[in-house]
Amino acid sequence: MTASNPKPALTPEAARLLEESLADVREALTGLKYGSVSVTVHEGRVVQIDVTEKKRLKSG
């Protein structure tokens, strides 16, 4: 955001939901060695977290 367009203050409920969403993303990343985490946001709220894990197979 630019200085002329500051972020609106979060309500206590919005701050709580944001912290819960961040905890969920942190949990999705925990232990992930190879892969990706995708976060879907709708109307400013996290509504879905997708985790794709890749398994590396040993050749031979």
Side-chain angles (χ1 to χ4, degrees):
M1 302 227 131
T2 62
S4 62
N5 192 8
K7 287 184 191 179
L10 291 177
T11 64
E13 176 67 8
R16 183 186 66 76
L17 290 172
L18 176 59
E19 289 303 318
E20 286 180 6
S21 295
L22 290 172
D24 289 338
V25 171
R26 188 178 297 111
E27 182 180 332
L29 289 168
T30 301
L32 184 63
K33 196 164 188 176
Y34 300 101
S36 61
V37 175
S38 174
V39 178
T40 303
V41 178
H42 181 71
E43 294 185 0
R45 294 184 57 213
V46 174
V47 295
Q48 184 172 321
I49 299 171
D50 294 307
V51 179
T52 302
E53 186 172 358
K54 297 183 182 280
K55 297 287 185 180
R56 303 288 180 168
L57 304 177
K58 294 181 181 179
S59 60

